[in-house]
CSV table of all heavy atoms in Angstrom, one decimal:
chain,number,residue,atom,x,y,z
B,666,ASP,N,-68.7,26.8,11.7
B,666,ASP,CA,-68.4,26.2,10.4
B,666,ASP,C,-69.6,25.4,9.9
B,666,ASP,O,-69.7,24.2,10.1
B,666,ASP,CB,-67.3,25.1,10.7
B,666,ASP,CG,-66.1,25.5,9.9
B,666,ASP,OD1,-66.0,26.6,9.3
B,666,ASP,OD2,-65.2,24.6,9.8
B,667,TYR,N,-70.6,26.1,9.3
B,667,TYR,CA,-71.7,25.4,8.8
B,667,TYR,C,-71.9,25.5,7.3
B,667,TYR,O,-71.5,26.6,6.8
B,667,TYR,CB,-73.0,25.7,9.6
B,667,TYR,CG,-73.5,27.1,9.4
B,667,TYR,CD1,-74.4,27.4,8.4
B,667,TYR,CD2,-73.1,28.1,10.3
B,667,TYR,CE1,-74.9,28.7,8.3
B,667,TYR,CE2,-73.6,29.4,10.2
B,667,TYR,CZ,-74.5,29.7,9.2
B,667,TYR,OH,-74.9,31.0,9.1
B,668,ALA,N,-72.4,24.5,6.6
B,668,ALA,CA,-72.5,24.5,5.2
B,668,ALA,C,-73.2,25.8,4.8
B,668,ALA,O,-74.3,26.2,5.3
B,668,ALA,CB,-73.3,23.3,4.7
B,669,GLY,N,-72.7,26.5,3.8
B,669,GLY,CA,-73.4,27.6,3.3
B,669,GLY,C,-73.2,28.9,4.0
B,669,GLY,O,-73.7,30.0,3.6
B,670,ALA,N,-72.5,29.0,5.1
B,670,ALA,CA,-72.3,30.2,5.8
B,670,ALA,C,-71.6,31.3,5.0
B,670,ALA,O,-72.0,32.4,4.9
B,670,ALA,CB,-71.4,30.0,7.1
B,671,LEU,N,-70.6,30.9,4.3
B,671,LEU,CA,-69.8,31.8,3.4
B,671,LEU,C,-70.8,32.3,2.3
B,671,LEU,O,-70.7,33.5,1.9
B,671,LEU,CB,-68.6,31.1,2.8
B,671,LEU,CG,-67.8,32.0,1.9
B,671,LEU,CD1,-67.3,33.3,2.6
B,671,LEU,CD2,-66.6,31.3,1.3
B,672,HIS,N,-71.6,31.4,1.8
B,672,HIS,CA,-72.5,31.8,0.8
B,672,HIS,C,-73.5,32.9,1.2
B,672,HIS,O,-73.7,33.9,0.6
B,672,HIS,CB,-73.3,30.5,0.3
B,672,HIS,CG,-74.3,30.8,-0.7
B,672,HIS,ND1,-75.7,30.7,-0.5
B,672,HIS,CD2,-74.2,31.2,-2.0
B,672,HIS,CE1,-76.3,31.0,-1.5
B,672,HIS,NE2,-75.4,31.3,-2.5
B,673,GLN,N,-74.0,32.7,2.5
B,673,GLN,CA,-74.8,33.8,3.1
B,673,GLN,C,-74.1,35.1,3.2
B,673,GLN,O,-74.7,36.1,3.0
B,673,GLN,CB,-75.3,33.3,4.4
B,673,GLN,CG,-76.7,32.8,4.4
B,673,GLN,CD,-77.2,32.5,5.9
B,673,GLN,OE1,-76.6,31.8,6.6
B,673,GLN,NE2,-78.3,33.1,6.2
B,674,VAL,N,-72.8,35.0,3.7
B,674,VAL,CA,-72.0,36.2,3.8
B,674,VAL,C,-71.9,37.0,2.5
B,674,VAL,O,-72.1,38.1,2.4
B,674,VAL,CB,-70.7,35.9,4.4
B,674,VAL,CG1,-69.7,37.1,4.3
B,674,VAL,CG2,-70.7,35.4,5.9
B,675,LEU,N,-71.6,36.2,1.4
B,675,LEU,CA,-71.4,36.8,0.1
B,675,LEU,C,-72.7,37.4,-0.4
B,675,LEU,O,-72.7,38.4,-1.2
B,675,LEU,CB,-70.8,35.8,-0.8
B,675,LEU,CG,-69.4,35.4,-0.5
B,675,LEU,CD1,-68.8,34.5,-1.6
B,675,LEU,CD2,-68.4,36.5,-0.2
B,676,SER,N,-73.8,36.8,0.0
B,676,SER,CA,-75.1,37.4,-0.5
B,676,SER,C,-75.3,38.8,-0.1
B,676,SER,O,-75.8,39.7,-0.9
B,676,SER,CB,-76.3,36.6,0.2
B,676,SER,OG,-76.3,35.3,-0.2
B,677,ALA,N,-74.8,39.2,1.1
B,677,ALA,CA,-74.9,40.6,1.5
B,677,ALA,C,-74.2,41.6,0.6
B,677,ALA,O,-74.6,42.7,0.4
B,677,ALA,CB,-74.3,40.7,2.9
B,678,PHE,N,-73.1,41.1,0.0
B,678,PHE,CA,-72.4,41.9,-1.0
B,678,PHE,C,-73.0,41.8,-2.4
B,678,PHE,O,-73.2,42.8,-3.1
B,678,PHE,CB,-70.9,41.5,-1.1
B,678,PHE,CG,-70.1,41.7,0.1
B,678,PHE,CD1,-69.9,40.6,1.0
B,678,PHE,CD2,-69.6,42.9,0.5
B,678,PHE,CE1,-69.2,40.8,2.2
B,678,PHE,CE2,-68.9,43.1,1.6
B,678,PHE,CZ,-68.7,42.0,2.5
B,679,SER,N,-73.4,40.6,-2.7
B,679,SER,CA,-73.9,40.3,-4.1
B,679,SER,C,-75.2,41.1,-4.4
B,679,SER,O,-75.2,41.7,-5.5
B,679,SER,CB,-74.1,38.8,-4.2
B,679,SER,OG,-74.7,38.5,-5.4
B,680,TRP,N,-76.2,41.1,-3.6
B,680,TRP,CA,-77.4,41.8,-4.0
B,680,TRP,C,-77.3,43.3,-4.0
B,680,TRP,O,-78.1,44.0,-4.6
B,680,TRP,CB,-78.6,41.3,-3.1
B,680,TRP,CG,-78.7,41.9,-1.7
B,680,TRP,CD1,-78.4,41.3,-0.5
B,680,TRP,CD2,-79.3,43.1,-1.3
B,680,TRP,NE1,-78.7,42.1,0.5
B,680,TRP,CE2,-79.2,43.2,0.1
B,680,TRP,CE3,-79.8,44.2,-2.1
B,680,TRP,CZ2,-79.7,44.4,0.8
B,680,TRP,CZ3,-80.3,45.3,-1.4
B,680,TRP,CH2,-80.2,45.4,0.0
B,681,ARG,N,-76.2,43.8,-3.4
B,681,ARG,CA,-75.8,45.2,-3.5
B,681,ARG,C,-74.9,45.5,-4.7
B,681,ARG,O,-74.5,46.6,-4.9
B,681,ARG,CB,-75.2,45.7,-2.2
B,681,ARG,CG,-76.1,45.8,-1.0
B,681,ARG,CD,-75.3,46.3,0.2
B,681,ARG,NE,-76.3,46.5,1.3
B,681,ARG,CZ,-76.7,45.5,2.1
B,681,ARG,NH1,-76.3,44.3,2.0
B,681,ARG,NH2,-77.6,45.8,3.1
B,682,LYS,N,-74.6,44.5,-5.5
B,682,LYS,CA,-73.7,44.6,-6.6
B,682,LYS,C,-72.3,45.1,-6.2
B,682,LYS,O,-71.8,45.9,-7.0
B,682,LYS,CB,-74.3,45.4,-7.8
B,682,LYS,CG,-75.6,44.8,-8.4
B,682,LYS,CD,-75.9,45.4,-9.7
B,682,LYS,CE,-77.1,44.9,-10.4
B,682,LYS,NZ,-77.1,43.4,-10.7
B,683,MET,N,-71.9,44.7,-5.1
B,683,MET,CA,-70.5,45.1,-4.7
B,683,MET,C,-69.6,44.0,-5.1
B,683,MET,O,-69.7,42.9,-4.8
B,683,MET,CB,-70.5,45.2,-3.1
B,683,MET,CG,-71.4,46.4,-2.6
B,683,MET,SD,-71.6,46.3,-0.8
B,683,MET,CE,-70.2,47.2,-0.3
B,684,ASN,N,-68.6,44.4,-5.9
B,684,ASN,CA,-67.7,43.4,-6.5
B,684,ASN,C,-66.5,43.1,-5.6
B,684,ASN,O,-65.9,44.0,-5.0
B,684,ASN,CB,-67.1,44.0,-7.8
B,684,ASN,CG,-66.8,42.8,-8.8
B,684,ASN,OD1,-66.8,41.6,-8.4
B,684,ASN,ND2,-66.3,43.2,-10.0
B,685,LEU,N,-66.2,41.8,-5.4
B,685,LEU,CA,-65.1,41.4,-4.6
B,685,LEU,C,-63.9,41.0,-5.5
B,685,LEU,O,-64.1,40.2,-6.4
B,685,LEU,CB,-65.5,40.2,-3.7
B,685,LEU,CG,-66.8,40.3,-2.9
B,685,LEU,CD1,-67.0,39.1,-2.1
B,685,LEU,CD2,-66.8,41.5,-2.0
B,686,SER,N,-62.7,41.5,-5.2
B,686,SER,CA,-61.6,41.2,-6.0
B,686,SER,C,-60.7,40.1,-5.3
B,686,SER,O,-59.8,39.6,-6.0
B,686,SER,CB,-60.7,42.4,-6.3
B,686,SER,OG,-60.2,43.0,-5.1
B,687,LYS,N,-60.9,39.9,-4.0
B,687,LYS,CA,-60.1,38.9,-3.4
B,687,LYS,C,-60.9,38.3,-2.2
B,687,LYS,O,-61.6,39.0,-1.5
B,687,LYS,CB,-58.8,39.5,-2.9
B,687,LYS,CG,-57.8,38.5,-2.3
B,687,LYS,CD,-56.6,39.2,-1.7
B,687,LYS,CE,-55.9,38.2,-0.8
B,687,LYS,NZ,-55.0,37.3,-1.6
B,688,ILE,N,-60.8,37.0,-2.0
B,688,ILE,CA,-61.4,36.4,-0.8
B,688,ILE,C,-60.4,35.3,-0.4
B,688,ILE,O,-60.0,34.5,-1.2
B,688,ILE,CB,-62.8,35.9,-1.1
B,688,ILE,CG1,-63.3,35.2,0.1
B,688,ILE,CG2,-62.9,35.0,-2.3
B,688,ILE,CD1,-64.8,35.1,0.1
B,689,GLU,N,-60.1,35.3,0.9
B,689,GLU,CA,-59.2,34.3,1.4
B,689,GLU,C,-59.6,33.8,2.8
B,689,GLU,O,-59.9,34.7,3.6
B,689,GLU,CB,-57.8,34.9,1.4
B,689,GLU,CG,-56.7,33.8,1.6
B,689,GLU,CD,-55.3,34.4,1.6
B,689,GLU,OE1,-55.1,35.5,1.0
B,689,GLU,OE2,-54.5,33.8,2.2
B,690,SER,N,-59.7,32.5,3.0
B,690,SER,CA,-60.0,32.0,4.3
B,690,SER,C,-58.7,31.7,5.0
B,690,SER,O,-57.7,31.3,4.4
B,690,SER,CB,-60.8,30.8,4.2
B,690,SER,OG,-60.1,29.7,3.6
B,691,ARG,N,-58.6,32.0,6.3
B,691,ARG,CA,-57.4,31.7,7.1
B,691,ARG,C,-57.8,31.1,8.4
B,691,ARG,O,-58.8,31.4,9.0
B,691,ARG,CB,-56.6,33.0,7.4
B,691,ARG,CG,-56.2,33.9,6.2
B,691,ARG,CD,-54.8,33.4,5.7
B,691,ARG,NE,-53.9,33.4,6.8
B,691,ARG,CZ,-53.1,32.3,7.0
B,691,ARG,NH1,-53.1,31.3,6.2
B,691,ARG,NH2,-52.2,32.4,8.0
B,692,PRO,N,-57.0,30.1,8.9
B,692,PRO,CA,-57.3,29.5,10.2
B,692,PRO,C,-57.3,30.5,11.3
B,692,PRO,O,-56.5,31.4,11.3
B,692,PRO,CB,-56.3,28.4,10.3
B,692,PRO,CG,-55.5,28.3,9.0
B,692,PRO,CD,-55.8,29.6,8.3
B,693,MET,N,-58.2,30.3,12.3
B,693,MET,CA,-58.3,31.3,13.4
B,693,MET,C,-57.2,31.1,14.4
B,693,MET,O,-57.1,31.9,15.4
B,693,MET,CB,-59.6,31.1,14.1
B,693,MET,CG,-60.7,32.1,13.9
B,693,MET,SD,-60.0,33.8,13.6
B,693,MET,CE,-60.6,34.6,15.1
B,694,LYS,N,-56.4,30.0,14.4
B,694,LYS,CA,-55.3,29.7,15.4
B,694,LYS,C,-56.0,29.3,16.7
B,694,LYS,O,-55.3,29.3,17.7
B,694,LYS,CB,-54.4,30.9,15.6
B,694,LYS,CG,-53.8,31.3,14.2
B,694,LYS,CD,-52.4,31.8,14.4
B,694,LYS,CE,-51.8,31.8,13.0
B,694,LYS,NZ,-50.5,32.6,13.0
B,695,THR,N,-57.2,29.0,16.7
B,695,THR,CA,-57.8,28.5,18.0
B,695,THR,C,-58.0,27.0,17.7
B,695,THR,O,-58.8,26.4,18.4
B,695,THR,CB,-59.2,29.2,18.3
B,695,THR,OG1,-60.0,29.1,17.1
B,695,THR,CG2,-59.0,30.6,18.6
B,696,GLY,N,-57.3,26.4,16.7
B,696,GLY,CA,-57.5,25.0,16.4
B,696,GLY,C,-57.9,24.9,15.0
B,696,GLY,O,-58.4,25.9,14.3
Side-chain angles (χ1 to χ4, degrees):
Chain B
D666 241 14
Y667 64 92
L671 178 61
H672 178 250
Q673 255 189 307
V674 167
L675 295 186
S676 298
F678 296 97
S679 175
W680 77 258
R681 289 180 174 83
K682 294 197 183 298
M683 295 167 85
N684 206 359
L685 309 181
S686 62
K687 185 186 166 78
I688 178 163
E689 191 178 338
S690 64
R691 300 273 309 130
M693 255 325 251
K694 305 212 164 166
T695 51

